Amino acid sequence: MKIKPFNPPVRTLMGPGPSDVHPRVLTAMARPTIGHLDPAFIVMMDEIKQMLQYAFQTKNALTIPVSAPGSAGMETCFVNLVEPGEKVIVCANGVFGGRMKENVERAGGVAVMVEDAWGTPVDPNKLEDALKNNKDAKLVAFVHAETSTGVQSDAKKLTEIAHRHGCLVIVDAVTSLGGIALKVDEWEIDAIYSGSQKCLSCTPGLSPISVSERAIEKIKNRKTKVQSWFLDLNLVMGYWGTGKRAYHHTAPINPLYGLHEALAMLQEEGLEKSWARHQHHYVALRSGLEAMGLSLLVKESARLPQLNAVMVPPGVDDAKLRSRLLEEYNLEIGAGLGALAGKIIRIGLMGYGANMKNVMYCLEAIEAVLSDMRAPIQTGVAMNAAQSAAVLN
Ligand SMILES: *Cc1c(COP(=O)(O)O)cnc(C)c1O
């Protein structure tokens, strides 16, 4: 069989990631590949570091993209900061908190879980209690923006509590970076990781991280080697650090051009404006969905603008709804996970995708398909509601 070149369909990506990639980013990625130690490439690497510091609002020198997806950023933080036998308090209120536990245990640590119901934020009081009951804990880990449920937790407050009890924090900001307020230095976050394909609107496969001096101190004082050679920050910094660069692994050259372009776009727009744009389009989308008679899973004060968990109306098969949206409208939205499978759909408004065209298109497509599926919704009002909300806010 002769295999033809792969031409992907043109979709609108409004799921939990990847999000729509801006044409400027795709164009940047098609530029000529150069060597990973080429002086011109090293200049670009330094610019990426600078722009990541801006995105994370930090002066941390160790602010770099790990050469692999968000999960590798997660793993980088855990394998470097957790030493065998150490106790780590892990706050879990969705899928990604559960993965943190896996990471702690695989790094030889002992995970103490602080569980909150899916769809609710991490309860600071429960963290406080766990720290009081585990005075030997060294680290606290939590997810800022839980993509599996559309919930944001109070990263500033959780970090304060952890520090009061002498712990360092690891924060998952895969979905929050660029989408909602995040201030690494002001909030004194010790180690944080993100992903390129959510609110940065780059292609998947890179994981920006930032590590504070306090955390580096802990890594330097380890009694045991970091068990991952590839993710050992002591080694990675030989390539990404300052001064003479040495080969560690071949950096993903062209994806890094893409990240550079995505970060340049974030700078052009301004970080606060990007946060406000996500909020603005969430309000429009929510107004449209509510006018249609649909409701959201998460209480207003804890909702993520960039990831909306919408209750599936009674009698509707969510898999059928999603596959019709994909087939008939080229529109991708996300499914519910775990206990929320079949109960919610997840609509992302991430990065470049947080725009009025996507909001209107999504409302129109969902209304058309749900109405065809005989779901109990109001028709003919959603677009107007979204439009009015967008004008007002
Ligand atoms: C997407 C996501 C990850 C994992 O990122 P990958 O790039 O898929 O490896 C981790 N945490 C959260 C909160 C996410 O949304």
Side-chain angles (χ1 to χ4, degrees), residues 323-341:
S323 70
R324 284 193 59 181
L325 289 171
L326 192 68
E327 282 162 25
E328 296 166 30
Y329 290 84
N330 275 308
L331 174 64
E332 179 177 280
I333 61 167
L337 299 174
L340 294 170

Side-chain angles (χ1 to χ4, degrees), residues 20-54:
D20 278 344
V21 178
H22 195 283
R24 270 179 62 181
V25 173
L26 292 173
T27 305
M29 290 174 73
R31 290 177 188 143
T33 305
I34 58 177
H36 60 96
L37 290 170
D38 189 308
F41 191 70
I42 287 174
V43 170
M44 195 212 63
M45 289 167 73
D46 285 340
E47 289 174 356
I48 287 181
K49 288 200 285 186
Q50 252 181 46
M51 291 193 287
L52 279 179
Q53 287 176 332
Y54 170 68

Side-chain angles (χ1 to χ4, degrees), residues 294 313-316 366-367 369-379:
L294 299 176
V316 170
I366 286 183
E367 178 173 321
V369 174
L370 280 180
S371 144
D372 195 54
M373 291 171 90
R374 307 261 181 277
I377 56 157
Q378 286 282 326
T379 56

Side-chain angles (χ1 to χ4, degrees), residues 351-369:
Y352 169 55
N355 64 57
M356 216 48 204
K357 179 169 154 242
N358 277 12
V359 168
M360 289 305 205
Y361 187 59
C362 177
L363 288 172
E364 190 180 6
I366 286 183
E367 178 173 321
V369 174

Side-chain angles (χ1 to χ4, degrees), residues 112-138:
V112 176
M113 300 305 289
V114 174
E115 307 263 4
D116 277 291
W118 288 30
T120 66
V122 174
D123 180 348
N125 297 320
K126 284 193 192 167
L127 173 61
E128 183 97 53
D129 288 345
L131 284 161
K132 280 183 192 149
N133 294 331
N134 294 278
K135 296 210 182 298
D136 51 343
K138 297 277 189 283

Side-chain angles (χ1 to χ4, degrees), residues 16 69-72 74 96 99 143 145-147 172 174-175 193 195 197-198:
S71 305
M74 179 187 281
F96 294 101
R99 287 196 183 173
V143 179
E146 225 335 319
T147 325
D172 178 321
V174 175
T175 286
Y193 58 91
Q197 79 278 28
K198 307 218 178 174

